[in-house]
Amino acid sequence: MINKYINSVLIFSTFLVLLSCGNNNKNQAATQVPPAPFPIAKLQSKTVTGYTDYPATIEGVVNSDVRAKTSGYIEKVYVDEGQKVRKGQVLFKLETQSLSQDAGAAKARVNVAQVEVDKLVPLVEKNIISPVQLETAKANLAQAKANYSSVSANIGYATIKSPIDGYVGAINFREGALISPSDTTPLTTVSEIDQVYAFFSFNEAQYINHLQRNGGKSKAERIKNSPDLSLVLANGKIYSEKGRIQTSTGQINQSTGTIKIRAAFDNPNEILTNGNSGKIRFPIEYKDAIVVPQTATFEQQGNIMIFKLGENNKVKTTILKIKGTVNNLYVIESGLSINDIIVVSGIGKLKNGMEILPQETSFDDAIKPVATLFKN
């Protein structure tokens, strides 16, 4: 009887264990979550153009400082700031009364010296006096004439004219001001602005990249092959004319680590003038490049990362090396190949090795900028 009782207990226990396992399997099947859907896209190569802005200063092609060649008080200013002038046009007139008096005295000394020479010539011819006396008198006459010419030139210098065709800048001295050739500040500056120069700077790496991007065997050829430049004016608008790089200093400034670049812009409407500021907008074209939307990436420990779709629809992370940025896109240097498939959104919910349900979307749709819903 005891054996029969023990067997019954064992059979019942086995039944309970089997029943419990069956319930666990049913619960596990009921709680298993299917893979979540995520949009994916296959990479395509694109040719895109990015832009980098560089602060620039504008100068006229020719900027001529107007300075006095003699000392004196300004008697008259004949032009106004911003006025267009021609070469040789009178800009300033200095007071010449004292110079005229000096000229009169110098002329008198010339006359006296000439009389002395005229008096000694016949005496020398008659051997009455030594020729040395005549030569001394002639030297005195030459000196007197030189003094008179110097004073006369100063009178001429009192009329100050424009050295070039152009526009008058700031007038730094007005009527009554005493000026001299040693003044560090010019009377004004006349600028020729039919064409203007825009000066901006590259750092050393930017300069090397610029030269390497442009074809050519020499620096001159690479500059010639540089792209057209845009100029962003101080009001934020794009200037109507395109510019071209003409030259660079060719040497790195050891203090700033930069190299100065000069670009030229035509100025037919005279919108630009000497002293304007703006920004050079420099284009960089990436041909047949791999690009990804920035929204598909994330940063981890200083690295830019992205999720690629692997085998069995499992995602894996990869580190990207970025060549450039164009609007909402990263231009990829390494980390992806043209046949890769990436997850384009929802990356905050992903983990490395996670299985997903891929939802294919077109690459062009994936790289479109996200529309701004709210604007201030």
Side-chain angles (χ1 to χ4, degrees):
M1 289 292 292
I2 294 173
N3 289 336
K4 288 182 179 181
Y5 176 77
I6 292 172
N7 290 336
S8 299
V9 170
L10 290 174
I11 292 170
F12 182 71
S13 298
T14 302
F15 174 76
L16 290 176
V17 169
L18 292 173
L19 181 64
S20 174
C21 291
N23 288 335
N24 287 338
N25 289 335
K26 289 180 180 178
N27 290 336
Q28 288 177 0
T31 58
Q32 187 175 5
V33 179
F38 285 87
I40 55 96
K42 186 177 181 181
L43 295 177
Q44 297 177 11
S45 61
K46 296 284 183 182
T47 296
V48 293
T49 302
Y51 297 91
T52 304
D53 290 350
Y54 299 91
T57 56
I58 309 299
E59 294 183 10
V61 170
V62 178
N63 294 305
S64 182
D65 287 343
V66 178
R67 298 180 181 275
K69 293 183 178 181
T70 188
S71 299
Y73 291 94
I74 297 178
E75 184 178 89
K76 180 70 175 178
V77 178
Y78 290 94
V79 292
D80 201 358
E81 295 173 345
Q83 182 176 333
K84 188 173 185 177
V85 295
R86 307 296 297 178
K87 181 178 180 179
Q89 183 174 335
V90 177
L91 307 179
F92 301 89
K93 183 73 164 60
L94 303 185
E95 180 271 321
T96 59
Q97 181 177 355
S98 58
L99 290 174
S100 298
Q101 293 173 350
D102 293 341
K107 181 63 175 174
R109 286 192 288 273
V110 170
N111 293 335
V112 169
Q114 185 66 57
V115 168
E116 181 67 13
V117 169
D118 293 342
K119 182 180 69 175
L120 294 179
V121 167
L123 297 178
V124 171
E125 291 175 348
K126 295 177 181 180
N127 294 321
I128 297 175
I129 62 173
S130 169
V132 174
Q133 289 181 272
L134 178 58
E135 294 303 319
T136 301
K138 287 181 177 180
N140 291 337
L141 175 60
Q143 182 62 49
K145 287 181 177 180
N147 291 338
Y148 176 67
S149 296
S150 176
V151 175
S152 297
N154 284 337
I155 293 176
Y157 294 152
T159 301
I160 301 172
K161 301 177 181 180
S162 177
I164 61 171
D165 295 341
Y167 288 83
V168 177
I171 295 177
N172 300 311
F173 298 91
R174 296 288 179 175
E175 283 88 348
L178 177 62
I179 60 172
S180 74
S182 62
D183 291 335
T184 57
T185 303
L187 294 169
T188 189
T189 300
V190 179
S191 301
E192 181 184 317
I193 59 171
D194 292 338
Q195 189 181 60
V196 297
Y197 289 145
F199 293 94
F200 63 102
S201 296
F202 283 145
N203 63 35
E204 186 174 357
Q206 291 166 339
Y207 180 66
I208 293 174
N209 288 339
H210 165 67
L211 293 180
Q212 290 179 334
R213 276 193 298 266
N214 300 321
K217 296 181 180 179
S218 65
K219 175 184 170 183
E221 287 183 3
R222 294 187 183 100
I223 289 177
K224 183 179 179 181
N225 294 329
S226 296
D228 289 342
L229 306 179
S230 297
L231 177 64
V232 183
L233 302 175
N235 62 1
K237 295 184 178 180
I238 303 295
Y239 182 54
S240 59
E241 305 293 323
K242 294 290 187 180
R244 298 282 300 176
I245 290 178
Q246 288 194 328
T247 188
S248 65
T249 55
Q251 293 183 342
I252 303 295
N253 185 313
Q254 296 301 314
S255 299
T256 63
T258 60
I259 187 167
K260 197 171 185 179
I261 309 296
R262 189 185 79 200
F265 288 81
D266 289 335
N267 191 29
N269 299 320
E270 299 177 351
I271 292 176
L272 303 177
T273 190
N274 196 51
N276 278 150
S277 62
K279 295 178 181 178
I280 290 293
R281 181 155 291 175
F282 196 94
I284 301 175
E285 184 180 58
Y286 302 97
K287 292 184 178 180
D288 298 325
I290 295 177
V291 297
V292 298
Q294 293 183 32
T295 52
T297 66
F298 64 98
E299 188 171 342
Q300 187 176 79
Q301 297 180 348
N303 294 315
I304 303 296
M305 315 281 288
I306 200 167
F307 283 102
K308 294 194 300 185
L309 186 65
E311 295 181 356
N312 301 320
N313 291 334
K314 291 184 178 181
V315 298
K316 56 182 179 180
T317 58
T318 185
I319 298 175
L320 302 178
K321 187 173 182 181
I322 307 301
K323 184 186 296 184
T325 303
V326 178
N327 298 325
N328 65 314
L329 304 175
Y330 281 137
V331 181
I332 305 304
E333 183 172 334
S334 63
L336 291 172
S337 63
I338 197 63
N339 295 318
D340 284 333
I341 298 173
I342 62 169
V343 180
V344 296
S345 65
I347 59 174
K349 301 176 182 179
L350 292 175
K351 293 182 179 179
N352 196 33
M354 179 176 169
E355 183 182 353
I356 66 169
L357 179 62
Q359 301 290 315
E360 190 170 352
T361 184
S362 74
F363 186 70
D364 288 337
D365 288 340
I367 63 176
K368 284 181 180 178
V370 178
T372 303
L373 298 179
F374 300 98
K375 295 183 179 179
N376 295 329

